[in-house]
Amino acid sequence: MGLWTLDDIPWDKLDRSKVDPEILRTVKAASLVEQNGADYAQYLCNVFHDDPAFQEAARRWGEEEVQHGRALGRWATLVDPDFDHADASERFTRGFRVKLDARQSIRGTRSGELIARCIVETGTSSYYTALGEATEEPVLKAICQRIAADELRHYKLFYTHLKRYLERERIGFWKRLRVAAGRLVESEDGELSYAYYAANENAAAFDLRRYNNAYARRVYCLYRRHHVERGMAMIFKAVGLKPNGRLNMLAARLAWMFMHMRAERLGRRAA
Ligand SMILES: [Fe+2]
Ligand SMILES: [Fe+2]
Protein backbone atom coordinates (compact mmCIF):
# COMPACT_ATOMS: atom_id res chain seq x y z
CA MET A 1 0.00 0.00 0.00
CA GLY A 2 1.33 3.46 -0.91
CA LEU A 3 1.26 6.69 1.05
CA TRP A 4 -2.20 7.58 -0.20
CA THR A 5 -5.34 5.86 -1.46
CA LEU A 6 -8.10 6.78 -3.89
CA ASP A 7 -10.16 7.92 -0.88
CA ASP A 8 -7.69 10.77 -0.31
CA ILE A 9 -8.52 12.34 -3.68
CA PRO A 10 -11.06 15.21 -3.43
CA TRP A 11 -13.36 13.77 -6.12
CA ASP A 12 -16.21 16.13 -5.16
CA LYS A 13 -14.12 19.09 -6.38
CA LEU A 14 -14.26 17.87 -9.98
CA ASP A 15 -14.80 20.78 -12.36
CA ARG A 16 -15.62 19.53 -15.86
CA SER A 17 -15.49 23.05 -17.28
CA LYS A 18 -11.74 23.08 -16.64
CA VAL A 19 -10.94 19.86 -18.44
CA ASP A 20 -8.73 20.23 -21.49
CA PRO A 21 -9.80 17.52 -23.98
CA GLU A 22 -6.23 17.11 -25.24
CA ILE A 23 -5.00 16.47 -21.70
CA LEU A 24 -7.88 14.03 -21.16
CA ARG A 25 -6.59 11.93 -24.09
CA THR A 26 -3.10 11.68 -22.60
CA VAL A 27 -4.46 10.90 -19.13
CA LYS A 28 -6.44 8.00 -20.57
CA ALA A 29 -3.22 6.67 -22.12
CA ALA A 30 -1.24 7.11 -18.89
CA SER A 31 -3.95 5.27 -16.93
CA LEU A 32 -3.31 2.19 -19.08
CA VAL A 33 0.49 2.29 -18.99
CA GLU A 34 0.51 2.57 -15.20
CA GLN A 35 -1.46 -0.67 -14.94
CA ASN A 36 1.56 -2.49 -16.38
CA GLY A 37 3.25 -1.86 -13.01
CA ALA A 38 2.20 -5.30 -11.76
CA ASP A 39 3.87 -7.05 -14.73
CA TYR A 40 7.02 -4.94 -14.41
CA ALA A 41 7.17 -5.80 -10.70
CA GLN A 42 6.97 -9.49 -11.62
CA TYR A 43 9.76 -9.02 -14.16
CA LEU A 44 11.92 -7.29 -11.53
CA CYS A 45 11.27 -10.09 -9.03
CA ASN A 46 12.49 -12.57 -11.68
CA VAL A 47 15.63 -10.58 -12.42
CA PHE A 48 16.43 -10.04 -8.71
CA HIS A 49 15.41 -13.60 -7.79
CA ASP A 50 17.89 -13.92 -4.90
CA ASP A 51 17.34 -10.46 -3.40
CA PRO A 52 14.21 -10.67 -1.20
CA ALA A 53 14.61 -7.12 0.16
CA PHE A 54 14.55 -5.70 -3.36
CA GLN A 55 11.72 -8.02 -4.39
CA GLU A 56 9.59 -6.73 -1.55
CA ALA A 57 10.32 -3.13 -2.52
CA ALA A 58 9.55 -3.95 -6.18
CA ARG A 59 6.19 -5.49 -5.28
CA ARG A 60 5.22 -2.42 -3.25
CA TRP A 61 6.40 -0.21 -6.09
CA GLY A 62 4.26 -2.18 -8.58
CA GLU A 63 1.18 -1.74 -6.40
CA GLU A 64 1.75 2.00 -6.29
CA GLU A 65 2.06 2.16 -10.08
CA VAL A 66 -1.18 0.22 -10.49
CA GLN A 67 -2.87 2.64 -8.09
CA HIS A 68 -1.71 5.53 -10.29
CA GLY A 69 -3.53 3.84 -13.17
CA ARG A 70 -6.67 3.40 -11.10
CA ALA A 71 -6.74 7.04 -9.97
CA LEU A 72 -6.19 8.37 -13.49
CA GLY A 73 -8.70 5.89 -14.92
CA ARG A 74 -11.33 6.92 -12.41
CA TRP A 75 -10.76 10.59 -13.18
CA ALA A 76 -11.03 9.96 -16.94
CA THR A 77 -14.23 7.96 -16.46
CA LEU A 78 -15.81 10.69 -14.32
CA VAL A 79 -14.99 13.27 -16.96
CA ASP A 80 -15.95 11.05 -19.89
CA PRO A 81 -18.50 8.39 -18.84
CA ASP A 82 -18.16 6.79 -22.29
CA PHE A 83 -14.56 5.85 -21.47
CA ASP A 84 -14.52 2.22 -20.41
CA HIS A 85 -11.26 1.87 -18.48
CA ALA A 86 -11.45 -1.90 -18.07
CA ASP A 87 -12.18 -2.42 -21.75
CA ALA A 88 -9.37 -0.06 -22.83
CA SER A 89 -6.95 -1.84 -20.45
CA GLU A 90 -7.82 -5.14 -22.04
CA ARG A 91 -7.27 -3.78 -25.55
CA PHE A 92 -3.94 -2.33 -24.45
CA THR A 93 -2.77 -5.59 -22.85
CA ARG A 94 -3.77 -7.54 -25.94
CA GLY A 95 -1.44 -5.39 -28.06
CA PHE A 96 1.37 -4.72 -25.62
CA ARG A 97 2.57 -7.24 -23.06
CA VAL A 98 5.58 -7.00 -20.78
CA LYS A 99 7.82 -10.09 -21.17
CA LEU A 100 7.61 -11.96 -17.90
CA ASP A 101 9.80 -14.98 -18.59
CA ALA A 102 13.17 -13.21 -18.24
CA ARG A 103 15.59 -14.47 -15.59
CA GLN A 104 18.20 -11.85 -16.42
CA SER A 105 17.86 -8.18 -17.04
CA ILE A 106 17.44 -7.18 -20.67
CA ARG A 107 19.98 -4.41 -19.79
CA GLY A 108 22.76 -6.99 -19.29
CA THR A 109 23.36 -6.33 -15.58
CA ARG A 110 21.27 -5.57 -12.51
CA SER A 111 22.92 -2.15 -12.28
CA GLY A 112 21.83 -1.54 -15.86
CA GLU A 113 18.28 -2.57 -14.96
CA LEU A 114 18.26 -0.11 -12.06
CA ILE A 115 19.61 2.69 -14.27
CA ALA A 116 16.80 1.99 -16.74
CA ARG A 117 14.28 2.13 -13.88
CA CYS A 118 15.76 5.49 -12.78
CA ILE A 119 15.30 6.82 -16.32
CA VAL A 120 11.66 5.69 -16.38
CA GLU A 121 10.97 7.30 -12.99
CA THR A 122 12.67 10.49 -14.19
CA GLY A 123 10.26 10.53 -17.12
CA THR A 124 7.14 9.88 -15.05
CA SER A 125 8.11 12.29 -12.29
CA SER A 126 8.72 15.04 -14.87
CA TYR A 127 5.54 14.22 -16.76
CA TYR A 128 3.18 14.31 -13.76
CA THR A 129 4.84 17.43 -12.40
CA ALA A 130 4.35 19.15 -15.77
CA LEU A 131 0.80 17.82 -16.13
CA GLY A 132 -0.14 18.89 -12.59
CA GLU A 133 1.12 22.41 -13.29
CA ALA A 134 -0.53 22.59 -16.72
CA THR A 135 -4.03 21.47 -15.78
CA GLU A 136 -6.52 23.80 -14.15
CA GLU A 137 -8.85 20.98 -13.18
CA PRO A 138 -8.51 20.67 -9.38
CA VAL A 139 -8.97 16.90 -9.05
CA LEU A 140 -6.48 16.05 -11.78
CA LYS A 141 -4.07 18.53 -10.20
CA ALA A 142 -4.43 16.78 -6.83
CA ILE A 143 -3.90 13.35 -8.43
CA CYS A 144 -0.82 14.51 -10.36
CA GLN A 145 0.76 16.05 -7.27
CA ARG A 146 0.46 12.76 -5.42
CA ILE A 147 1.67 10.68 -8.33
CA ALA A 148 4.62 13.03 -9.05
CA ALA A 149 5.73 12.70 -5.39
CA ASP A 150 5.50 8.89 -5.69
CA GLU A 151 7.53 8.86 -8.91
CA LEU A 152 10.30 10.93 -7.33
CA ARG A 153 10.34 8.53 -4.38
CA HIS A 154 10.53 5.61 -6.83
CA TYR A 155 13.56 7.21 -8.48
CA LYS A 156 15.22 7.46 -5.08
CA LEU A 157 14.34 3.84 -4.31
CA PHE A 158 15.94 2.52 -7.51
CA TYR A 159 18.90 4.87 -7.15
CA THR A 160 19.58 3.55 -3.62
CA HIS A 161 19.63 -0.03 -4.90
CA LEU A 162 21.70 1.05 -7.91
CA LYS A 163 24.45 2.29 -5.61
CA ARG A 164 24.43 -1.06 -3.83
CA TYR A 165 24.71 -3.04 -7.09
CA LEU A 166 27.33 -0.74 -8.59
CA GLU A 167 29.67 -1.67 -5.75
CA ARG A 168 29.25 -5.29 -6.71
CA GLU A 169 29.15 -5.10 -10.51
CA ARG A 170 31.31 -2.01 -11.06
CA ILE A 171 30.04 -1.20 -14.55
CA GLY A 172 31.80 1.80 -16.08
CA PHE A 173 30.50 5.20 -17.06
CA TRP A 174 30.08 4.44 -20.79
CA LYS A 175 28.04 1.35 -20.06
CA ARG A 176 25.83 3.34 -17.71
CA LEU A 177 25.43 6.04 -20.32
CA ARG A 178 24.60 3.48 -23.02
CA VAL A 179 21.85 1.91 -20.90
CA ALA A 180 20.38 5.32 -20.06
CA ALA A 181 20.46 6.47 -23.70
CA GLY A 182 18.95 3.16 -24.82
CA ARG A 183 16.07 3.51 -22.37
CA LEU A 184 15.47 7.11 -23.42
CA VAL A 185 15.22 6.07 -27.07
CA GLU A 186 12.84 3.27 -26.07
CA SER A 187 10.33 5.81 -24.81
CA GLU A 188 9.19 5.86 -28.45
CA ASP A 189 9.16 2.08 -28.82
CA GLY A 190 5.41 1.69 -28.71
CA GLU A 191 4.21 1.30 -25.12
CA LEU A 192 3.03 4.88 -24.76
CA SER A 193 1.80 5.25 -28.31
CA TYR A 194 -0.05 1.92 -28.13
CA ALA A 195 -1.67 3.01 -24.87
CA TYR A 196 -2.67 6.28 -26.52
CA TYR A 197 -4.18 4.31 -29.40
CA ALA A 198 -5.98 1.76 -27.18
CA ALA A 199 -7.43 4.51 -25.00
CA ASN A 200 -8.58 6.86 -27.73
CA GLU A 201 -9.07 5.04 -31.00
CA ASN A 202 -11.57 2.37 -31.91
CA ALA A 203 -11.76 2.19 -35.67
CA ALA A 204 -8.34 2.75 -37.27
CA ALA A 205 -5.49 0.23 -37.20
CA PHE A 206 -2.43 0.95 -35.04
CA ASP A 207 0.35 2.92 -36.70
CA LEU A 208 3.46 3.44 -34.54
CA ARG A 209 4.64 6.68 -36.10
CA ARG A 210 1.20 8.20 -36.24
CA TYR A 211 0.38 7.50 -32.60
CA ASN A 212 3.86 8.36 -31.39
CA ASN A 213 3.36 11.78 -32.97
CA ALA A 214 -0.20 12.09 -31.66
CA TYR A 215 0.98 11.36 -28.12
CA ALA A 216 4.14 13.50 -28.32
CA ARG A 217 2.22 16.49 -29.72
CA ARG A 218 -0.04 16.55 -26.67
CA VAL A 219 2.63 15.82 -24.09
CA TYR A 220 5.71 17.79 -25.16
CA CYS A 221 3.83 21.08 -25.03
CA LEU A 222 3.16 20.56 -21.31
CA TYR A 223 6.84 20.75 -20.35
CA ARG A 224 8.54 23.94 -19.20
CA ARG A 225 12.25 24.52 -19.05
CA HIS A 226 12.52 23.81 -15.30
CA HIS A 227 10.97 20.35 -15.77
CA VAL A 228 13.58 19.48 -18.38
CA GLU A 229 16.43 20.86 -16.26
CA ARG A 230 15.40 18.82 -13.25
CA GLY A 231 14.88 15.70 -15.37
CA MET A 232 18.31 16.06 -16.94
CA ALA A 233 19.90 16.42 -13.49
CA MET A 234 18.23 13.14 -12.45
CA ILE A 235 19.51 11.38 -15.58
CA PHE A 236 23.03 12.74 -14.99
CA LYS A 237 22.97 11.45 -11.43
CA ALA A 238 21.87 7.98 -12.57
CA VAL A 239 24.76 7.68 -15.03
CA GLY A 240 27.31 9.03 -12.54
CA LEU A 241 27.76 12.58 -13.83
CA LYS A 242 27.60 15.77 -11.76
CA PRO A 243 23.90 16.72 -11.73
CA ASN A 244 24.51 20.46 -11.38
CA GLY A 245 27.51 21.16 -13.61
CA ARG A 246 27.87 23.07 -16.89
CA LEU A 247 27.51 19.92 -18.97
CA ASN A 248 24.15 19.27 -17.38
CA MET A 249 22.97 22.81 -18.14
CA LEU A 250 24.05 22.45 -21.75
CA ALA A 251 22.36 19.05 -22.15
CA ALA A 252 19.17 20.39 -20.54
CA ARG A 253 19.14 23.38 -22.89
CA LEU A 254 19.54 21.14 -25.95
CA ALA A 255 16.85 18.74 -24.72
CA TRP A 256 14.50 21.65 -24.04
CA MET A 257 15.10 23.09 -27.53
CA PHE A 258 14.48 19.70 -29.12
CA MET A 259 11.22 19.16 -27.22
CA HIS A 260 10.00 22.68 -27.83
CA MET A 261 10.73 22.51 -31.57
CA ARG A 262 9.17 19.07 -31.89
CA ALA A 263 6.01 20.17 -30.08
CA GLU A 264 5.72 23.22 -32.37
CA ARG A 265 6.34 21.19 -35.53
CA LEU A 266 3.78 18.55 -34.59
CA GLY A 267 1.30 21.25 -33.56
CA ARG A 268 1.71 23.03 -36.94
CA ARG A 269 1.27 19.78 -38.82
CA ALA A 270 -1.94 19.00 -36.94
CA ALA A 271 -3.41 22.51 -37.41
FE1 LIG B 1 3.39 5.75 -11.92
FE1 LIG C 1 6.99 5.18 -10.56
Side-chain angles (χ1 to χ4, degrees), residues 186-255:
E186 270 173 40
S187 56
E188 304 230 343
D189 70 347
E191 185 175 22
L192 288 168
S193 49
Y194 198 83
Y196 183 86
Y197 164 76
N200 294 292
E201 192 69 68
N202 279 311
F206 178 65
D207 178 288
L208 179 65
R209 194 178 151 84
R210 181 177 168 196
Y211 289 101
N212 255 340
N213 286 344
Y215 180 79
R217 175 165 75 80
R218 290 168 177 90
V219 167
Y220 279 19
C221 62
L222 301 174
Y223 289 94
R224 297 293 168 262
R225 191 190 286 251
H226 64 277
H227 304 128
V228 180
E229 285 173 358
R230 196 191 63 148
M232 193 56 78
M234 290 164 75
I235 293 171
F236 266 46
K237 194 172 158 181
V239 299
L241 286 169
K242 231 164 76 180
N244 48 8
R246 279 162 68 168
L247 187 61
N248 172 44
M249 290 311 288
L250 178 68
R253 198 170 304 154
L254 288 173

Side-chain angles (χ1 to χ4, degrees), residues 135-184:
T135 184
E136 288 178 22
E137 201 297 302
V139 178
L140 182 59
K141 207 179 245 312
I143 295 172
C144 287
Q145 284 164 351
R146 283 172 175 82
I147 298 182
D150 282 353
E151 309 295 19
L152 187 59
R153 193 162 42 77
H154 294 164
Y155 174 93
K156 289 175 183 163
L157 167 79
F158 290 123
Y159 184 73
T160 303
H161 287 279
L162 168 63
K163 282 196 292 187
R164 188 161 66 83
Y165 272 97
L166 279 174
E167 279 182 22
R168 203 185 294 179
E169 296 177 328
R170 301 199 172 277
I171 66 167
F173 165 71
W174 293 107
K175 221 172 196 173
R176 288 170 77 173
L177 187 65
R178 208 162 49 234
V179 171
R183 188 58 191 85
L184 278 168

Side-chain angles (χ1 to χ4, degrees), residues 74-103:
R74 184 161 170 195
W75 180 83
T77 310
L78 284 173
V79 170
D80 174 9
D82 289 337
F83 177 58
D84 187 334
H85 189 237
D87 182 60
S89 292
E90 206 188 296
R91 292 201 316 130
F92 173 54
T93 313
R94 242 183 287 138
F96 188 95
R97 200 75 219 242
V98 179
K99 287 192 179 70
L100 296 175
D101 50 1
R103 285 290 285 175

Side-chain angles (χ1 to χ4, degrees), residues 43 46-47 99-106:
Y43 161 77
N46 292 348
V47 170
K99 287 192 179 70
L100 296 175
D101 50 1
R103 285 290 285 175
Q104 274 202 331
S105 169
I106 53 170

